[in-house]
Structures are given as structure tokens and as C-alpha cells.
């Protein structure tokens, strides 16, 4: 799938830092320690509706990771998927009377435009589930052959499931207890009550063809893939069996990242799948998580259409810490726009060089992406009329992704 154009990234003087990030699997802030090429997989959208500010906040978080690694001299191999066939997409297409592929195409187009406006560095590989169908069916067959997967005894639909006990340490990524896992599985697309499964938490790998549903040929028979195998396969076939970071919003901690890690580890025989599992908090509106099902969405494309500066959106979303669940509001946007105006004036100013400000930006970002501290630092620089603009302006562009000039 075509991704989107890369924003130019200005060079800045000095040396980058080793980035430390919170890891869900260990519950600690840990150093990321990539080799010359850092590898990152961030779960992409399910394209049945436009990009909202919650999605944007999550992609901005990992864009900062990308920028910090580049600043530290790494190449970055970034892969993102598109869940372009799944229940929510098919249900929405059915409801609206549009062909599911058309709906996906339209929403992916909007997403690309939104990411471009927000100056998010694109993934090198942007891969739809449909494009990866052969890879996915090969992996499911491999799991069946090895005994890690099985079919349910259902005469009509002998769907294929993954046996969670085959990984030997299912649950290590989320560290949730069994009742929590069961609840979240039921809430987030799993089917713990399906009769015939070995364990209630076993996730679907291959759903046999149902009337009216799209399906693809496979050694298992016609059907379509489960959700978690898609990400396990797209990531590991491009980045190898062990990646530096698996990212997404905190609603993906379980079951999605737990199951995709388990699939990838059983397929490769290597663990852990990711050295860091990093999750962004949920953006809410009026006290509730912003989500398609609740309908309380603020779309990036709508704000752009209204003339809101995407750099103000970016600053507004980065004004809270990425791990914190936080609310979007008109006030957040107004404060961000005012800040952006002050920073823009300061960026064209002549005066004394302020290399310590650039170093402080790096230090705060290296500390688990402490953007509130970065904003305070840059605010102080903007308020000091004696300081020069250009070097700090470039650092704000390169590291924070906010273009000032
Ligand atoms: N296609 C799957 C991942 S493979 C998916 O979750 N798609 S999504 O469109 O529902 O979400 C895309 C990304 O946005 C995910 O990382 C999700 O965790 C994140 N996200 C969704 N809602 C919010 C929110 N309100 N705040 C922050 N991030 C969110
Ligand atoms: Zn995913």
C-alpha cells in the first residue's frame, strides 16, 4: 500500500540520546537499545471511519520515537499495517450500503492526508491485511502443522484457533490476571464463550467463509484471517523475529499485543517478539474515551477543513504525557494555538545562541518522551527576547515535528 510523503527533517547540532521508554511487559521505563537499524511496528488503523484525535495522538507518540532514534544516528525500519478486512469494517460497509473495499480506500486516503498534514514520518512498509493474505495463510497452516493451532468441532464452520498454552508464557506482555483477560477478550473482538475451544482465551486465526463475507483461498479452505495473526505476520516477515518496539494505544495491550506476540513467538521459536511494548494513553472527549463505537469523535480532517493549523493540533496532543489518558477540548486547542504563535515569533528572532535549550529538549524526550517538560523548556526560551531563534526552531521541528518557520 502506498504510504505518504516524508516531511523534511532539519539537521541539528550536538548528539542524540539513548531513548528510554515505558515497557508494558516489564512495567518499567527501560532503555531502547537498537542496533544500527532500529525496528518498529505500530498497529495501523481499521479504515471504517476518519482519523480522530485519539488515533493521531498515538501515531504522534511513535513519530517522536522515530525522530529520537534518527537523532541518535540510527536508521529506522518502521512498519505499519492496515486492518483492511475485519468485522467492524464489514459491519460499517453493510450499514452504509458501500462496498467494503471502497470504504477502506476512502478512509485510508483520508488517513494519509491527515498524517501528511501532521508531519508524521511515514512507515517504510505500509501493508494491508489483504495484501499480506498469502503470508498470513502460510503462517496459519504452519501453526496448524506444529500443533499450536486447531479447528473447533463445528460442522458448519470449523474455524481455526490458536492454543494459548502453546506459547508457554501467555500473559507476560499485559501481565493481566485471568478475569481481566477474559473481560477484555469479550470486549475487544474475542469470543471467550465460543463452544469447542480448548481455552476461552484462544484467539481466532482463520474464519471459514460465511455467506456474504469476503474470503480468500487457503490450505485451510476459503476464509479470512483473525486480527492478531495479521500483525504478527506483517511485522515479523519484514522486521525479523525480534523487533525493538511494538506500539499502539493502551486498548491494544490485551488481547491484541499479547496474542500477536504469542503468534510471532511460536512461529519463530524466539522470544520476546518485541524488546519494548509501548502504549499510548487514550484521548477522551467529555469524560469518555474517544471511539468510533461511542460516536464522540473529533476528526483531524474536519479540524483541517475548519482551518485549524495542524501544528496546533500536534502541540495540543503533545501537551500531555503520552502515557496519560487525557481529554481533548477547545481549551487545549486554544492554548496550543497561542503557544504556537509565541514559538513562531521567537523562531525568527536574532540573539544569543541557546544550545542548552536544544540539549534540554533531547534530555526530556529521552526520558520516556516527557513532552510537558519539553514544552515548558521551549516556553521559557520563547519568553526570553535575548535568545536566538533558528537553532531551537530547527530542534523543535526535527524532534517534536512542529514546524515553526
Ligand atoms: N487496526 C487495529 C490495530 S491492528 C486498530 O486498533 N485500529 S483502530 O483504528 O481502532 O486504532 C488505531 C490506533 O489508534 C490503535 O493504536 C489504537 O490503540 C489507537 N486509538 C484508538 N482510539 C484511541 C484513543 N481514543 N486515544 C488514543 N489512541 C487511540
Ligand atoms: Zn495490530
Amino acid at each position: 500500500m502506498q504510504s505518504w510523503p516524508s516531511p523534511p527533517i532539519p539537521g541539528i547540532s550536538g548528539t542524540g540520546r539513548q531513548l528510554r521508554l515505558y515497557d508494558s511487559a516489564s512495567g518499567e521505563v527501560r532503555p531502547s537499545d537498537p542496533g544500527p537499524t532500529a525496528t518498529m511496528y505500530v498497529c495501523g488503523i481499521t479504515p471504517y471511519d476518519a482519523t480522530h484525535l485519539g488515533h493521531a495522538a498515538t501515531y504522534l507518540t511513535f513519530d517522536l520515537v522515530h525522530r529520537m532514534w534518527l537523532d541518535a544516528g540510527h536508521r529506522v525500519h518502521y512498519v505499519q499495517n492496515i486492518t483492511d478486512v475485519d468485522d467492524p469494517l464489514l459491519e460499517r460497509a453493510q450499514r452504509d450500503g458501500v462496498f467494503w473495499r471502497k470504504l477502506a480506500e476512502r478512509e485510508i486516503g483520508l488517513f494519509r492526508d491527515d498524517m501528511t498534514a501532521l508531519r508524521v514520518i511515514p512507515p517504510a512498509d505500509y501493508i494491508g491485511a489483504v495484501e499480506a493474505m498469502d503470508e498470513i495463510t502460510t503462517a496459519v497452516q504452519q501453526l496448524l502443522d506444529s500443533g499450536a493451532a486447531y479447528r473447533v468441532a463445528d460442522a458448519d464452520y470449523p474455524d481455526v484457533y490458536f492454543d494459548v498454552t502453546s506459547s508457554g508464557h501467555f500473559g507476560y506482555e499485559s501481565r493481566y490476571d485471568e478475569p481481566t483477560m477474559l473481560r477484555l477478550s469479550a470486549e475487544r473482538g474475542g469470543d471467550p464463550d465460543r463452544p469447542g475451544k480448548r481455552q476461552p482465551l484462544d484467539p481466532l486465526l482463520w474464519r471459514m467463509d460465511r455467506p456474504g463475507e469476503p474470503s480468500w483461498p487457503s490450505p485451510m479452505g476459503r476464509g479470512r484471517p483473525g486480527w492478531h495473526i495479521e500483525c504478527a505476520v506483517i511485522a515479523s516477515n519484514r522486521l525479523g523475529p525480534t523487533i525493538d518496539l511494538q506500539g499502539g494505544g493502551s486498548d491494544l495491550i490485551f488481547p491484541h499485543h499479547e496474542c500477536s506476540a504469542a503468534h510471532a513467538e511460536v512461529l519463530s521459536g524466539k522470544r520476546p517478539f518485541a524488546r519494548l511494548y509501548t502504549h499510548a494513553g487514550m484521548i477522551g472527549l467529555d469524560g469518555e474515551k474517544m471511539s468510533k463505537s461511542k460516536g464522540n469523535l473529533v476528526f483531524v480532517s474536519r479540524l483541517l477543513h475548519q482551518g485549524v493549523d495542524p501544528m496546533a493540533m500536534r502541540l495540543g496532543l503533545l501537551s500531555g504525557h503520552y502515557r496519560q489518558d487525557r481529554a481533548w477540548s477547545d481549551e487545549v486547542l486554544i492554548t496550543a494555538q497561542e503557544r504556537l504563535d509565541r514559538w513562531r515569533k521567537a523562531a525568527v528572532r536574532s540573539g544569543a545562541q541557546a544550545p542548552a535549550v536544544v540539549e534540554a529538549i533531547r534530555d526530556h524526550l529521552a526520558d520516556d518522551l516527557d513532552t510537558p517538560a519539553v514544552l515548558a523548556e521551549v516556553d521559557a526560551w520563547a519568553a526570553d527576547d535575548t535568545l536566538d531563534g533558528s537553532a531551537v526552531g530547527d530542534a523543535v521541528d526535527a524532534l517534536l515535528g512542529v514546524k515553526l518557520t
Side-chain angles (χ1 to χ4, degrees):
M1 199 75 73
Q2 184 199 339
S3 70
W4 55 90
S6 190
I9 304 166
I12 52 177
S13 57
T15 45
R17 301 285 187 277
Q18 183 179 50
L19 174 63
R20 294 182 307 283
L21 286 171
Y22 183 83
D23 166 45
S24 298
S26 60
E28 290 169 359
V29 174
R30 297 185 32 225
S32 68
D33 191 17
T37 300
T39 50
M40 171 162 77
Y41 183 84
V42 177
C43 283
I45 54 164
T46 304
Y48 69 96
D49 215 336
T51 321
H52 59 62
L53 288 171
H55 302 133
T58 290
Y59 297 112
L60 290 177
T61 298
F62 297 100
D63 190 52
L64 298 187
V65 172
H66 198 157
R67 288 166 184 274
M68 284 298 283
W69 278 342
L70 291 176
D71 186 49
H74 301 285
R75 285 186 299 274
V76 179
H77 190 172
Y78 177 21
V79 179
Q80 189 178 128
N81 71 308
I82 310 156
T83 308
D84 55 1
V85 58
D86 202 6
D87 296 344
L89 174 71
L90 299 175
E91 283 158 17
R92 177 63 65 92
Q94 173 99 22
R95 188 198 82 179
D96 294 353
V98 278
F99 183 43
W100 61 275
R101 279 185 191 268
K102 278 276 161 237
L103 174 61
E105 227 170 73
R106 187 176 74 209
E107 301 305 342
I108 294 166
L110 265 182
F111 180 71
R112 280 193 196 104
D113 293 346
D114 294 346
M115 292 296 106
T116 307
L118 290 168
R119 297 174 71 81
V120 173
I121 304 174
D125 297 301
Y126 190 43
I127 310 290
V130 172
E131 280 178 289
M133 205 53 79
D134 287 349
E135 298 173 41
I136 296 170
T137 57
T138 302
V140 174
Q141 185 61 49
Q142 191 184 325
L143 290 169
L144 267 173
D145 290 345
S146 73
Y150 63 95
R151 285 181 187 273
V152 284
D154 179 320
D156 296 324
Y157 301 117
D159 301 325
V160 180
Y161 282 83
F162 177 76
D163 185 328
V164 292
T165 64
S166 66
S167 95
H169 53 278
F170 190 79
Y172 85 91
E173 182 269 341
S174 62
R175 298 176 299 124
Y176 292 154
D177 59 20
E178 180 106 2
T180 306
M181 290 200 265
L182 283 167
R183 176 173 59 77
L184 292 176
S185 164
E187 282 173 21
R188 297 175 179 168
D191 54 2
D193 298 328
R194 169 118 193 230
K197 296 209 296 182
R198 291 183 188 161
Q199 287 81 218
L201 290 172
D202 290 351
L204 177 72
L205 285 169
W206 191 253
R207 176 177 163 91
M208 302 304 285
D209 190 23
R210 311 290 205 266
E213 292 188 6
S215 64
W216 288 262
S218 86
M220 295 78 67
R222 287 196 76 88
R224 62 182 169 97
W227 175 25
H228 320 299
I229 190 68
E230 162 192 344
C231 286
V233 166
I234 292 175
S236 42
N237 283 357
R238 284 157 192 80
L239 298 172
T242 309
I243 66 176
D244 288 307
L245 188 154
Q246 156 80 302
S250 59
D251 57 343
L252 299 188
I253 294 174
F254 193 90
H256 187 50
H257 287 174
E258 190 76 65
C259 291
S260 57
H263 295 338
E265 288 165 7
V266 170
L267 282 164
S268 72
K270 295 207 165 76
R271 66 172 287 209
F273 167 56
R275 297 190 180 95
L276 290 168
Y277 296 93
T278 296
H279 295 100
M282 290 291 113
I283 300 294
L285 187 72
D286 304 329
E288 288 215 80
K289 171 190 156 185
M290 206 178 274
S291 74
K292 293 164 190 171
S293 50
K294 295 211 173 72
N296 59 342
L297 306 177
V298 180
F299 296 117
V300 174
S301 45
R302 194 163 303 159
L303 291 180
L304 289 172
H305 192 70
Q306 290 165 3
V308 174
D309 188 325
M311 294 299 94
M313 282 185 233
R314 191 163 174 128
L315 261 188
L317 290 170
L318 296 179
S319 65
H321 192 266
Y322 81 94
R323 276 207 274 145
Q324 215 78 58
D325 289 346
R326 55 205 196 276
W328 180 261
S329 64
D330 289 345
E331 287 73 15
V332 170
L333 181 58
I334 290 165
T335 304
Q337 184 63 59
E338 289 169 356
R339 174 173 275 131
L340 184 63
D341 294 343
R342 290 197 307 275
W343 289 13
R344 283 197 166 138
K345 284 201 188 86
V348 294
R349 207 165 55 189
S350 302
Q353 291 300 322
V357 179
V358 176
E359 296 312 314
I361 295 173
R362 282 189 168 117
D363 286 338
H364 291 310
L365 286 174
D367 179 16
D368 198 26
L369 304 176
D370 188 352
T371 54
V374 173
L375 267 53
E377 189 72 38
V378 181
D379 281 345
W381 157 81
D384 186 342
D385 283 336
T386 67
L387 296 179
D388 192 77
S390 69
V392 175
D394 282 350
V396 167
D397 185 346
L399 299 173
L400 221 49
V402 177
K403 187 165 171 50
L404 298 180
T405 53

